[in-house]
């Protein structure tokens, strides 16, 4: 019998967490859930606690206290802790080998970094920490011997297409920048579905409602990333994520629209070959890949039927209707603290849009204004990252409250 690997699922009540636990259920002989974290949706967390009886549980401090006592009785011996402290305890529990980082937004930064510092194998779906301070995450991996495994579908696709020696450069935290040319890699292409407004006019996009923005045509995801997919900021964040994770310059990375979302990204080689990874748009595939690597195990998802799909389309993104892409590329070019500012401003603007406090087209406007006033600085450590993030959030909140016309 194979030894079970201990797994922590951070963000277990979310879209990534749900997909991760589906894969774990398929392979109970291989994986044992050691830690589970939710945040506010305790009703969604409780059945998972009953099912997996994890050793470590975490949720928002105020929410932890409302977990039903009968549920806690059913997982005797579990430790539960609230807030960031709980997330970190879940990520660094001694019985955890693999951490699935599926918290949404910058809130996952501390626990993702703690998992890396603790030398875990870290499956990173939560792209924001890599956007904010990918270099710190990579340095931490180099120091601890952690294994970094991208499971954001595009970055996982690129990882799958790389030769083995470059895959090892990614997992170790070295990055592929210095060795990619020697290994024949010339460029990387990220694909984007184009989101729900791919064919919408600028006027229709300007008046988009939260419900329209949340209706993604090909992927089923949490609210923040769904809105990011509608503005195309998600692809912009992924551009920065790719630069920071792989150690590449933004000029080496292209973005193209591919509405069917079955070719998840590609690597171009200097002999003219283009190698891509294809699959149904379902996060259980990259999660299963990350869990089983270097082996492959069933994800529960069928292989693609290309004949059924029929035609695949590719086109360049429209930078006029989707200015977030331009803003993100500028932030990637500027580097230093600029991606932290971009990410923080975007999170505040998306939250305000979902609460109908600003219009859809004002999301990139908030980000643009913040980038215009942000003074870039070198980023030294986690405390510095958090300080910049909090300062920008306060500024963006104030901007939203005052109204963008003032
Ligand atoms: N969904 C996808 O298909 C997909 C694909 C690629 C990458 N990603 C990335 O994966 C991450 C998660 O996305 P998602 O779509 O799974 O999001 P989601 O469905 O909104 O789930 C977010 C999870 O994080 C928890 N959470 C929310 N706020 C938190 C906080 N302040 N502290 C700790 N935990 C908190 C939520 O708990 P409660 O619900 O209990 O409040 C939930 O478990 C994002 O960074 C996203 O960009 C997602």
């Amino acid at each position: 019998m194979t030894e079970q690997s201990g797994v922590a699922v951070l963000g277990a009540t979310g879209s990534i967490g749900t997909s991760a636990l589906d894969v774990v259920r398929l392979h109970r002989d291989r994986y044992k859930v050691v830690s589970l974290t939710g945040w506010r949706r305790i009703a969604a967390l409780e059945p998972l606690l009953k099912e997996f009886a994890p050793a470590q549980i975490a949720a928002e401090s105020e929410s932890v206290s409302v977990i039903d006592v009968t549920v806690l009785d059913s997982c005797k011996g579990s430790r539960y802790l609230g807030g960031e402290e709980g997330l970190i305890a879940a990520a660094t529990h001694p019985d955890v080998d693999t951490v699935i980082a599926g918290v949404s937004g910058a809130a996952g930064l501390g626990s993702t970094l703690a998992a890396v510092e603790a030398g875990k194998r870290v499956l990173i779906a939560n792209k924001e920490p890599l956007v904010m301070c990918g270099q710190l995450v990579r340095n931490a991996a180099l120091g601890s011997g952690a294994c970094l495994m991208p499971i954001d579908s595009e970055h996982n696709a690129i990882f799958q297409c790389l030769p083995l020696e470059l895959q090892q450069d990614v997992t170790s935290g070295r990055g592929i920048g210095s060795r990619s040319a020697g290994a024949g890699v010339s460029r990387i292409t990220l694909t984007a579905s184009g989101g729900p407004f791919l064919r919408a006019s600028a006027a229709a996009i300007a008046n988009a409602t939260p419900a329209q923005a949340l209706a993604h045509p090909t992927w089923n995801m949490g609210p923040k990333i769904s809105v990011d997919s509608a503005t195309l900021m998600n692809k912009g964040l992924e551009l920065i994520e790719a630069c920071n994770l792989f150690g590449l310059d933004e000029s080496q990375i292209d973005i193209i629209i591919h509405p069917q979302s079955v070719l998840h990204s590609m690597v171009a080689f200097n002999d003219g070959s283009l190698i891509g990874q294809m699959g149904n748009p379902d996060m259980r595939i990259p999660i299963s890949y990350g869990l089983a690597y270097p082996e492959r195990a069933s994800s529960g998802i069928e292989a693609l039927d290309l004949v059924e799909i029929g035609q695949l389309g590719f086109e360049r993104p429209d930078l006029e209707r989707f200015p977030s892409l331009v803003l993100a590329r500028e932030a990637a070019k500027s580097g230093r603290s600029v991606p932290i500012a971009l990410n923080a401003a975007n999170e505040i603007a998306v939250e305000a849009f979902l609460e109908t406090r600003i219009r859809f087209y004002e999301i990139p406007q908030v980000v643009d204004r913040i980038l215009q006033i942000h003074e870039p600085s070198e980023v030294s450590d986690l405390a510095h990252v958090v300080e910049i993030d909090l300062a920008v959030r306060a500024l963006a909140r104030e901007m939203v409250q005052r109204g963008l016309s003032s």
Side-chain angles (χ1 to χ4, degrees):
M1 189 177 144
T2 47
E3 205 183 317
Q4 277 183 314
S5 170
V7 175
V9 183
L10 310 183
T13 48
S15 163
I16 288 292
T18 302
S19 294
L21 290 171
D22 276 350
V23 176
V24 166
R25 284 186 189 98
L26 286 178
H27 302 283
R28 287 187 191 263
D29 54 331
R30 284 176 177 242
Y31 310 120
K32 175 169 174 37
V33 173
V34 175
S35 310
L36 284 180
T37 81
W39 199 245
R40 290 194 178 144
R41 284 181 292 169
I42 296 304
L45 184 62
E46 285 174 340
L48 302 177
L49 301 183
K50 272 190 182 159
E51 179 182 354
F52 293 103
Q56 184 72 55
I57 306 164
E60 189 189 31
S61 298
E62 299 78 55
S63 306
V64 160
S65 58
V66 297
I67 299 176
D68 193 319
V69 281
T70 58
V71 173
L72 290 175
D73 277 352
S74 69
C75 36
K76 278 204 180 65
S78 299
R79 265 168 39 96
Y80 57 102
L81 262 178
E84 173 93 342
E85 195 191 352
L87 288 181
I88 292 175
T92 58
H93 190 286
D95 295 343
V96 166
D97 305 294
T98 300
V99 175
I100 299 172
V103 168
S104 173
L109 173 59
S111 49
T112 302
L113 197 57
V116 176
E117 283 168 348
K120 308 292 187 190
R121 176 189 182 104
V122 190
L123 274 51
I124 310 179
N126 181 203
K127 64 193 77 179
E128 290 84 354
L130 290 174
V131 169
M132 297 165 78
C133 55
Q135 187 65 54
L136 289 186
V137 174
R138 277 168 49 205
N139 289 346
L142 285 168
S144 68
C147 169
L148 304 181
M149 172 59 66
I151 58 165
D152 202 353
S153 59
E154 295 74 7
H155 306 72
N156 184 264
I158 291 161
F159 183 87
Q160 293 199 36
C161 297
L162 292 173
L164 182 62
E165 71 268 24
L166 293 190
Q167 287 190 340
Q168 287 164 349
D169 287 339
V170 175
T171 55
S172 68
R174 273 192 300 275
I176 65 172
S178 58
R179 299 211 304 165
S180 59
V185 171
S186 58
R187 299 189 70 70
I188 275 177
T189 302
L190 300 173
T191 53
S193 68
F197 306 135
L198 177 61
R199 307 283 173 230
S201 67
I205 294 176
N207 291 314
T209 63
Q212 289 168 329
L214 290 172
H216 197 279
T218 49
W219 289 94
N220 185 7
M221 309 179 288
K224 194 263 176 181
I225 183 175
S226 295
V227 176
D228 285 346
S229 297
T231 57
L232 290 200
M233 180 56 95
N234 184 48
K235 215 44 57 177
L237 294 176
E238 287 176 3
L239 167 75
I240 305 172
E241 177 186 11
C243 294
N244 289 351
L245 176 71
F246 299 124
L248 294 172
D249 191 78
E250 57 80 29
S251 61
Q252 295 170 279
I253 305 172
D254 300 310
I255 294 173
I256 61 169
I257 302 292
H258 163 52
Q260 296 77 16
S261 300
V262 293
L263 175 58
H264 298 300
S265 279
M266 297 167 276
V267 177
F269 290 83
N270 59 13
D271 62 359
S273 298
L274 194 58
I275 300 186
Q277 182 260 346
M278 299 180 80
N280 279 305
D282 192 305
M283 288 305 292
R284 284 172 287 186
I285 297 176
I287 291 169
S288 164
Y289 178 91
L291 279 169
Y293 180 83
E295 292 170 31
R296 287 198 186 251
S298 161
S299 65
I301 306 301
E302 293 293 317
L304 273 177
D305 181 341
L306 286 175
V307 173
E308 186 146 312
I309 292 171
Q311 300 216 323
L312 300 182
F314 301 97
E315 57 196 88
R316 301 213 185 282
D318 179 345
L319 301 180
E320 299 277 319
R321 285 182 306 136
F322 299 104
S324 295
L325 272 181
V326 179
L327 297 170
R329 198 172 275 282
E330 277 167 13
K333 229 179 259 180
S334 307
R336 296 165 292 165
S337 58
V338 182
I340 305 173
L342 172 109
N343 182 67
N346 182 58
E347 285 196 25
I348 296 300
V350 169
E351 190 181 281
F353 168 71
L354 285 170
E355 290 166 3
T356 62
R357 288 185 284 120
I358 63 171
R359 310 272 295 278
F360 186 78
Y361 69 88
E362 290 178 307
I363 300 173
Q365 282 183 5
V366 171
V367 177
D368 189 17
R369 288 214 195 163
I370 287 289
L371 293 190
Q372 283 177 33
I373 53 180
H374 179 70
E375 295 276 352
S377 59
E378 293 300 334
V379 179
S380 47
D381 54 25
L382 177 62
H384 191 199
V385 175
V386 172
E387 188 190 324
I388 299 166
D389 174 70
L390 292 178
V392 173
R393 277 167 199 270
L395 215 56
R397 268 195 202 101
E398 206 184 292
M399 200 178 273
V400 165
Q401 208 158 5
R402 263 199 332 261
L404 287 167
S405 48
S406 58

